Amino acid sequence: MSGLSLDKLLKKAENKLQNVHEIVQEKSYELIRQAYKESIFVVITEGFRSIEQQHKLYSKGRATPGSIVTNAKGGYSYHNYGLAFDIALLDDNGEVDWTIDRRWNKAGEIGKRIGLE
């Protein structure tokens, strides 16, 4: 994939990981590094969420239009305490690819190996 280096992925992650606990930040960077070695391009899509943001997400598909995206109300998500992050994988063109395939499985294996749940 041209133009998307490990450094760029790590830099993108910095913006999304503000207010996330430093140990969780380090685990996310390690996930990105280890996956990159396997030609799996991980991007962090979200880190810390306020309780108000969590309430809004919880409302989706319930009180507001859209699909349900979380089962955690505000105050009940690890995101609210800087202890969680979400990821997506990029395809060879640098676009987010939500197709669950061997890359997702491998990213999950890497995450478990480095201590993520």
Side-chain angles (χ1 to χ4, degrees):
M1 175 167 42
S2 63
L4 192 58
S5 67
L6 176 58
D7 286 340
K8 284 185 182 179
L9 290 173
L10 293 170
K11 193 59 133 174
K12 283 178 165 240
E14 278 183 39
N15 295 329
K16 297 291 185 174
L17 294 170
Q18 293 177 11
N19 299 316
V20 171
H21 190 282
E22 68 181 58
I23 293 172
V24 178
Q25 286 181 14
E26 285 306 314
K27 294 286 185 183
S28 71
Y29 296 138
E30 187 62 22
L31 174 63
I32 293 167
R33 285 185 200 100
Q34 293 296 320
Y36 193 85
K37 290 177 186 177
E38 304 275 343
S39 298
I40 300 169
F41 309 107
V42 173
V43 291
I44 306 300
T45 58
E46 194 158 24
F48 175 82
R49 283 197 290 260
S50 69
I51 290 176
E52 181 179 323
Q53 289 170 311
Q54 190 70 34
H55 282 316
K56 285 181 183 176
L57 276 181
Y58 183 79
S59 293
K60 284 187 179 180
R62 294 179 176 91
T64 60
S67 299
I68 291 175
V69 295
T70 183
N71 291 318
K73 294 180 180 180
Y76 292 91
S77 171
Y78 285 113
H79 287 278
N80 302 145
Y81 303 98
L83 299 173
F85 61 91
D86 296 332
I87 68 166
L89 302 185
L90 301 179
D91 64 18
D92 291 336
N93 297 315
E95 301 295 323
V96 172
D97 183 359
W98 295 107
T99 305
I100 304 301
D101 59 14
R102 69 143 199 95
R103 296 170 311 130
W104 278 95
N105 293 332
K106 185 65 176 178
E109 290 171 17
I110 294 167
K112 287 178 184 174
R113 187 173 66 231
I114 64 172
L116 294 171
E117 295 180 12

